[in-house]
Amino acid sequence: MLFQVGGQGTRPTFFEMAAAQQLPASLRAALTYSLGVFAVRSPFLHKVLDYDDEFFALLMMVLESHSLRTTDASFSESLYGLRRREVKISSNKSTSIVESNDKIRHSGLQRHQKVLSVVFLVILPYFKSKLHSYYNREREARLQASLWGQDEPRLDEAGFLLDEGETSHARVEAASMEVSSMTHLKKKIIAAIAACYPWIHASNEGLTFAYQLLYLLDATGFYSPGLHVLGIQVCRATGQELMDSSSRISRIRSRERERLRGPPWLKAVQRALLSCIYTTLDYAQTGLIAAVFFFKMMEWWYQSAEERMSAPTVYPPPPPPPPPKVAKDGIPLPPDRTLCPLCCQKRANPSVLPVSGFVFCFACIHKYVSQHKRCPITLMPATTEQIRKLFHDL
């Protein structure tokens, strides 16, 4: 994935930035699908699926914090060899020409920028997901209310079935007392979200699209409004930065090991825990990407299998039955297939007898079957209603 390292210029392409931005969504879809598959055999995983927003936000907070701390890049940006740099604009005034030339100088991220980056990468998307779910829930409730109408009996917050003329005044008062002020406040908040969220979402999407369009046209160096607010630009990592990252991580971990306090056995336990955490973080990127690829492949495999199972089975046509045998006392067949077996003349108005499949003249076979009630060749029982006329000679 680091094929762009050392490429022309330090500014990433639009497609690199788009791929880095879409990776968390793909990762969440893959993890949700994998947990859904495992939840079929392990029901306790359904509790994780009930809180999938919180679970994914916690996971991404750990990954993003570790990635920003060690590489000055988000989890997805580090996979594409990108780094976040603070933008500082300095103006140089020349003595001969009275004009200022602004130059952009990049430097490493400060501590508060890393914290705010985690907020923009994890906290804000989490709240956006929750607001989106609340909005969808309120919209479905309004749609259901508009479909069923307000005259139907409904279930209020206390669980009583209310209907005009059947509920006593005391019961209504008891139900209203049980409805707390927090419930009313929650309803008001959800109603406010339902009213404001479409405008907030449309404004955010429009502003993001404008920044991406300007970035594509090389009119700005900020890919998103969040990066502009933080004063951060994303640049390609140089080869030296990639080589220095491992030594930087080693220094950070050495300092953390030196800060351990306590008796020797406690230090040993702490070192073991730190080693497990470091190993997990080192292989988290590779493991998660491998998991995404694996579960996407499994999804394709099961989807193909389901399509094959749901598709109607097409069986080959059965082989034709063997030709009927001429009875010992039946009329022999003429050598020419165009002749009628009864009159031995060329068939006129050809008709077939389905019980045997032989073709005769209509007048000949109708007269014979009317008299003998059988096929003249195979002697199989037949009636005149079974005779079928053919519209071309065989």
Side-chain angles (χ1 to χ4, degrees):
M1 294 185 181
L2 304 181
F3 60 91
Q4 291 288 356
V5 175
Q8 296 180 357
T10 60
R11 185 177 184 272
T13 63
F14 175 82
F15 299 101
E16 289 178 282
M17 297 297 297
Q21 187 182 29
Q22 294 174 2
L23 182 61
S26 301
L27 178 62
R28 177 174 182 172
L31 290 177
T32 304
Y33 174 77
S34 62
L35 289 176
V37 172
F38 289 127
V40 176
R41 296 186 177 182
S42 302
F44 72 92
L45 291 177
H46 285 290
K47 297 181 179 180
V48 179
L49 292 175
D50 293 338
Y51 300 95
D52 56 341
D53 292 333
E54 290 76 9
F55 173 76
F56 185 75
L58 181 61
L59 175 63
M60 292 306 298
M61 181 174 292
V62 174
L63 295 178
E64 299 290 5
S65 301
H66 173 73
S67 181
L68 286 167
R69 183 186 180 189
T70 56
T71 62
D72 283 348
S74 67
F75 172 75
S76 56
E77 290 167 355
S78 62
L79 291 175
Y80 288 90
L82 305 178
R83 296 292 183 268
R84 294 193 170 201
R85 296 289 180 262
E86 181 183 5
V87 178
K88 294 182 179 180
I89 302 178
S90 60
S91 60
N92 296 330
K93 294 183 179 180
S94 60
T95 57
S96 58
I97 302 175
V98 185
E99 61 181 359
S100 63
N101 297 324
D102 293 338
K103 293 184 178 180
I104 297 177
R105 182 167 55 88
H106 297 90
S107 62
L109 296 182
Q110 299 180 8
R111 183 179 181 85
H112 72 279
Q113 289 178 327
K114 295 181 181 180
V115 175
L116 292 177
S117 296
V118 174
V119 172
F120 276 87
L121 291 170
V122 180
I123 306 300
L124 292 183
Y126 167 74
F127 282 110
K128 181 181 178 181
S129 176
K130 300 302 289 185
L131 289 176
H132 188 71
S133 63
Y134 286 140
Y135 171 72
N136 287 337
R137 194 181 308 168
E138 181 68 15
R139 186 179 62 177
E140 291 176 0
R142 289 184 177 182
L143 180 61
Q144 186 176 5
S146 64
L147 291 176
W148 290 101
Q150 299 296 332
D151 295 332
E152 298 291 333
R154 58 186 178 86
L155 190 67
D156 66 340
E157 292 82 358
F160 298 110
L161 188 64
L162 301 181
D163 197 2
E164 295 183 358
E166 295 183 0
T167 306
S168 63
H169 181 68
R171 192 170 185 180
V172 173
E173 290 182 351
S176 62
M177 291 296 294
E178 292 181 4
V179 179
S180 62
S181 60
M182 294 298 296
T183 304
H184 292 291
L185 180 61
K186 184 178 178 180
K187 283 187 174 182
K188 291 181 180 179
I189 293 175
I190 293 178
I193 291 173
C196 300
Y197 177 77
W199 298 97
I200 297 175
H201 180 70
S203 302
N204 178 58
E205 293 296 325
L207 188 61
T208 302
F209 174 76
Y211 267 86
Q212 292 178 359
L213 182 61
L214 293 174
Y215 187 89
L216 180 62
L217 298 176
D218 203 7
T220 182
F222 301 100
Y223 182 77
S224 64
L227 294 175
H228 198 174
V229 171
L230 297 176
I232 294 174
Q233 286 186 357
V234 181
C235 307
R236 285 199 185 98
T238 61
Q240 185 63 34
E241 288 176 340
L242 293 176
M243 290 187 293
D244 293 342
S245 61
S246 58
S247 60
R248 181 182 179 183
I249 294 174
S250 300
R251 290 195 301 269
I252 293 175
R253 293 178 178 179
S254 299
R255 288 196 299 267
E256 290 179 349
R257 290 191 179 96
E258 292 174 356
R259 294 174 184 173
L260 298 178
R261 296 292 183 271
W265 64 270
L266 182 58
K267 290 183 178 180
V269 173
Q270 292 175 351
R271 289 193 186 95
L273 292 176
L274 286 177
S275 299
C276 294
I277 294 173
Y278 294 154
T279 304
T280 303
L281 293 175
D282 289 339
Y283 293 98
Q285 293 181 346
T286 306
L288 287 175
I289 297 304
V292 170
F293 175 77
F294 175 74
F295 286 111
K296 285 294 182 181
M297 184 182 66
M298 294 299 295
E299 182 181 8
W300 169 81
W301 177 268
Y302 282 112
Q303 185 177 3
S304 301
E306 290 177 359
E307 290 178 355
R308 291 194 300 268
M309 293 177 63
S310 60
T313 304
V314 179
Y315 296 100
K325 297 181 180 181
V326 180
K328 184 177 180 181
D329 298 332
I331 300 173
L333 292 173
D336 190 356
R337 294 187 177 182
T338 62
L339 301 179
C340 174
L342 291 173
C343 63
C344 296
Q345 302 293 328
K346 187 173 179 61
R347 288 191 293 262
N349 218 354
S351 301
V352 64
L353 194 61
V355 295
S356 61
F358 292 106
V359 182
F360 310 87
C361 296
F362 178 77
C364 298
I365 190 62
H366 190 276
K367 180 180 179 180
Y368 184 89
V369 171
S370 300
Q371 295 178 358
H372 301 90
K373 307 295 183 183
R374 65 183 183 182
C375 175
I377 299 175
T378 61
L379 304 183
M380 297 175 65
T383 60
T384 56
E385 289 79 7
Q386 296 176 342
I387 300 174
R388 298 292 182 266
K389 296 181 65 174
L390 300 178
F391 293 95
H392 61 88
D393 201 355
L394 299 176

